[in-house]
Every structure is written in C-alpha cells, then in structure tokens.
Amino acid sequence: MRAVGIFVVLLLVGCARGGLPPLTANDIAVMTSSTARIRAACNKAEYQVILAKSPCGEISFAQMADSSKITEAEKELFIKFATEFDAASAEQIAFLYRRGHLGDTKSLVGAVQWEYTLQQTQRAALDLVGQKVTWGEFVTRRKAISVESKSLVPTPAAPPQGASKPVVDSCMLAKSNAYLKPSGGSFAVAQQNADAAYAACKAGLPAPQTQTRCTKNGNQVDCYSY
C-alpha cells in the first residue's frame, strides 16, 4: 500500500500524449473515482490505528523498528482497509493495461510496476495477519517491494521495418478486461482472473465470456467490456 495520487496524475498526463487515442470521459471518470476511493481509505478515521503502523505514504524508521505483532482488532481493520484499497487499485491497473494495449509505454510500465507492488505486498500481508512477522518487518518488506518494482520496465517489441508505431501485445486488452470482473475485493482473485485471461489469449483460446458496461457523459456514451 503506497501513496498513488501523484503517480496517477502523472500517468494521466502521460496518457494524453500525441499519437495515442485521447482519454475518454469514462477513462478519466474511472481513474478519478478509483484514486478518490484510495485517498478516502487512507484518510478514514477508523483506519488510522493501523495506518500509524503501515502508512499510505512514506515509512519512517520508527515504523520499521516496531517489534509488535498485529492484534485481532488491528487484523479486522487491516483486512477491511486492504479490501477497499485493492479493489480500487485493480481498476487502475485495468486502465493502465488498456492504455498499454494501445501502445502507451508509460502506462504499460505503470501497470506492471503497480501490479507487482500489490501482488508482493499482499503476500507480505498474509505473513503479517498470520502473526509470522512484526509490523516493522512488514513495512520494511513494503519498502523493499517499492524499490524492486521500479526495476520492472517492460521493453516493447521493436516496430517492423517501415512501421511508425511499436508492436503492442493485443492480449493486454484481455488482461485489462479480466481485472474488471467481480473479485469480492480480493486483488489475488483479480490477478488470477487477469493472468488466466492473458494465458488463454496467448494460447489462442476463446476469451472468457464478457459483459459490457456503458456510462453516459453528456452526449457521449463510453462502453468497456469486462
């Protein structure tokens, strides 16, 4: 769990670069809504007990030195917070993979790094709630995960000779759509859906059945499948 406000704003600015389809009203609405939900969770009064130990922002030395283990009361709050945070984050990853599918390298990098951060943080969180590690060990692992994620920079395939645009992985769209399927607020389930859809696409198998959601923004109707 890390602060994502600036991260998301930068990606939205980057996604509007020339040569790529413009952001739709629905794109902006999804990112604005998911970012607002993350910020709301990080500022919610009932979660401040656990966020004092594992913050949304920078982690302090005192927090890394915390030798206490999670209590039952803290565990309940932690799981509730993580469910809210991860559900909103899955929507952001879906958006970034959709833009990566369109050839936006910056969004693809963001998707891969954010996905890795959530996946590894959730694994570390299982040790925390299972009382296998202290709060300090958990947040120290979080800092390491953040550093690790920055080294994950996917390299787009080189364009064919004479082509002006990079080759994009069309299966990223299947992965993006799968992230929007119901997951009960579990990022692990969302990622399993996404990985299965991506693997099926790569193997040339039929895509899982999808549904279409549309929203009206003034005179414009934006739709996406999931």
Side-chain angles (χ1 to χ4, degrees):
M1 288 160 272
R2 65 180 187 184
V4 296
I6 295 176
F7 174 77
V8 170
V9 170
L10 289 174
L11 284 167
L12 283 171
V13 171
C15 286
R17 293 194 306 271
L20 291 168
L23 294 170
T24 66
N26 189 69
D27 286 335
I28 296 172
V30 167
M31 290 302 284
T32 300
S33 171
S34 58
T35 302
R37 283 156 50 206
I38 288 175
R39 286 176 175 166
C42 289
N43 291 318
K44 193 173 290 188
E46 69 173 309
Y47 296 147
Q48 295 313 303
V49 172
I50 58 166
L51 293 177
K53 293 176 174 288
S54 179
C56 289
E58 290 298 317
I59 295 168
S60 69
F61 177 79
Q63 288 163 337
M64 289 191 291
D66 186 348
S67 61
S68 66
K69 291 190 175 182
I70 195 169
T71 65
E72 288 302 315
E74 290 171 342
K75 186 185 302 185
E76 183 177 344
L77 286 174
F78 182 86
I79 292 172
K80 188 177 178 182
F81 169 81
T83 299
E84 290 183 29
F85 188 98
D86 292 353
S89 297
E91 289 185 9
Q92 294 187 342
I93 292 172
F95 165 83
L96 295 173
Y97 270 122
R98 282 201 303 278
R99 296 300 296 184
H101 162 72
L102 296 173
D104 188 337
T105 304
K106 188 172 184 178
S107 287
L108 177 58
V109 170
V112 170
Q113 292 181 352
W114 193 215
E115 182 181 55
Y116 177 85
T117 297
L118 287 174
Q119 177 197 57
Q120 296 301 317
T121 299
Q122 189 168 75
R123 289 178 178 175
L126 290 175
D127 287 339
L128 176 70
V129 299
Q131 296 189 323
K132 295 180 180 178
V133 298
T134 65
W135 278 105
E137 289 169 328
F138 171 65
V139 295
T140 299
R141 177 60 185 139
R142 275 186 54 205
K143 283 181 70 76
I145 290 168
S146 180
V147 173
E148 292 165 10
S149 72
K150 291 178 174 61
S151 69
L152 303 176
V153 182
T155 305
Q161 188 172 3
S164 58
K165 293 184 178 180
V167 173
V168 298
D169 186 346
S170 61
C171 290
M172 279 189 282
L173 185 58
K175 187 167 189 173
S176 167
N177 290 339
Y179 262 114
L180 298 174
K181 289 186 174 182
S183 63
S186 167
F187 181 74
V189 172
Q191 187 176 42
Q192 287 170 7
N193 289 341
D195 288 345
Y198 186 80
C201 177
K202 283 295 189 181
L205 300 175
Q209 187 175 0
T210 62
Q211 301 179 43
T212 300
R213 179 186 300 171
C214 298
T215 57
K216 186 174 182 180
N217 299 281
N219 295 323
Q220 179 178 343
V221 177
D222 297 311
C223 298
Y224 59 93
S225 298
Y226 65 96

